[in-house]
Amino acid sequence: MRRSAEQEAATRHDLLVAALAEFAASGYAAATLAAVAARAGTTRDAACQHFPDKATLYLAAVQELGAEAATPVWSRLDGPEPPLRRIADFLVAFFTALERDTTLREVYSLAMRGAEGAPELEPGLKDKQAIMEGRLRHMAELLRTADLRPGVSPGTAALTITTAVNGTAATWLACRELFSPAEQARPLADAILYGLAEPRLTEPDDPARSVPLVRETRESAPEDSDTGTTAG
């Protein structure tokens, strides 16, 4: 019986999900199309109808499912709120999803492994570098209107935030018993954005949101009532 387009699409998606799990569990070199097909509840021949080889399946799983999982997280950078508030919300969303969203966690784990010495993955993984560069530019542009510390450029701030995120994720993936990124998402965002010893100001109408309110632009910074200077 001829399968419908909807059934074929569902099988393809099942294979992508199964591939992500198999590659994350076994690594690229040890994973096989047969093992992926078994996870998806289908046959190797059926898998080959959608993906002619392991490399094609790997890249499709990382790119397509990665985009699905990352979009809700990165969308936190868009909106009307001040730049640092948006970045703080993005950090909280990322650390929470890293622990609680299986797809994002598996994609991130695979992305950190890189090509694993497989030359057939190198061309496809160049897209990952382009995506990372685009996200860095996006964050740096957002930070142009934030009140950064003297001597810190938007590009440096964006790179610092990105490396802090990657380092935190790598640490947790290597030793998940060490801490819970989801439970510590707000304090982690606070530390990354505002340092470890800065004074904190919490929102009076929402004490649960512990990320401090800081100056977002020099023009909008409040004056200190005693000194007549902007509050730091």
Side-chain angles (χ1 to χ4, degrees), residues 114-201:
E116 298 187 52
E120 64 269 27
L121 297 181
E122 292 288 353
L125 290 180
K126 288 181 179 179
D127 293 339
K128 181 184 73 172
Q129 180 177 343
I131 291 171
M132 292 179 64
E133 291 172 350
R135 288 174 174 172
L136 271 174
R137 287 194 298 269
H138 183 191
M139 191 172 292
E141 186 63 31
L142 190 60
L143 286 163
R144 290 186 188 282
T145 58
D147 187 21
L148 302 175
R149 297 187 183 191
V152 178
S153 69
T156 297
L159 184 60
T160 300
I161 292 168
T162 301
T163 53
V165 167
N166 289 340
T168 302
T171 300
W172 181 73
L173 289 169
C175 185
R176 299 186 189 184
E177 296 77 18
L178 193 61
F179 67 102
S180 166
E183 292 178 4
Q184 298 189 42
R186 280 283 171 195
L188 285 168
D190 194 1
I192 290 170
L193 282 182
Y194 306 115
L196 301 177
E198 287 288 307
R200 297 294 189 265
L201 295 173

Side-chain angles (χ1 to χ4, degrees), residues 7-210:
Q7 289 173 319
E8 291 294 343
T11 297
R12 184 180 187 280
H13 187 269
D14 289 345
L15 285 165
L16 291 176
V17 173
L20 202 61
E22 182 65 22
F23 288 127
S26 304
Y28 177 77
T32 64
L33 283 175
V36 171
R39 278 183 182 263
T42 187
T43 65
R44 186 183 185 282
D45 288 343
C48 289
Q49 292 177 9
H50 292 276
F51 304 100
D53 53 56
K54 187 168 68 171
T56 302
L57 176 57
Y58 177 97
L59 293 172
V62 170
Q63 292 167 0
E64 295 181 29
L65 297 184
E68 288 181 13
T71 296
V73 174
W74 281 89
S75 66
R76 300 299 182 98
L77 294 178
D78 303 321
E81 293 188 312
L84 292 178
R85 171 61 66 202
R86 281 185 267 168
I87 293 175
D89 288 345
F90 154 75
L91 291 171
V92 170
F94 175 82
F95 290 132
T96 302
L98 178 67
E99 182 172 352
R100 297 178 179 171
D101 185 322
T102 301
T103 299
L104 187 140
R105 180 172 62 252
E106 290 175 344
V107 168
Y108 206 86
S109 177
L110 289 174
M112 294 184 68
R113 298 181 190 179
E116 298 187 52
E120 64 269 27
L121 297 181
E122 292 288 353
L125 290 180
K126 288 181 179 179
D127 293 339
K128 181 184 73 172
Q129 180 177 343
I131 291 171
M132 292 179 64
E133 291 172 350
R135 288 174 174 172
L136 271 174
R137 287 194 298 269
H138 183 191
M139 191 172 292
E141 186 63 31
L142 190 60
L143 286 163
R144 290 186 188 282
T145 58
D147 187 21
L148 302 175
R149 297 187 183 191
V152 178
S153 69
T156 297
L159 184 60
T160 300
I161 292 168
T162 301
T163 53
V165 167
N166 289 340
T168 302
T171 300
W172 181 73
L173 289 169
C175 185
R176 299 186 189 184
E177 296 77 18
L178 193 61
F179 67 102
S180 166
E183 292 178 4
Q184 298 189 42
R186 280 283 171 195
L188 285 168
D190 194 1
I192 290 170
L193 282 182
Y194 306 115
L196 301 177
E198 287 288 307
R200 297 294 189 265
L201 295 173
T202 57
E203 298 180 60
D205 59 339
D206 188 2
R209 286 171 71 98
S210 61

Side-chain angles (χ1 to χ4, degrees), residues 147-148 150 198-199 201 213-232:
D147 187 21
L148 302 175
E198 287 288 307
L201 295 173
L213 292 173
V214 299
R215 294 171 296 165
E216 291 293 345
T217 62
R218 297 186 188 279
E219 292 76 16
S220 63
E223 288 193 348
D224 184 277
S225 58
D226 294 327
T227 64
T229 60
T230 55

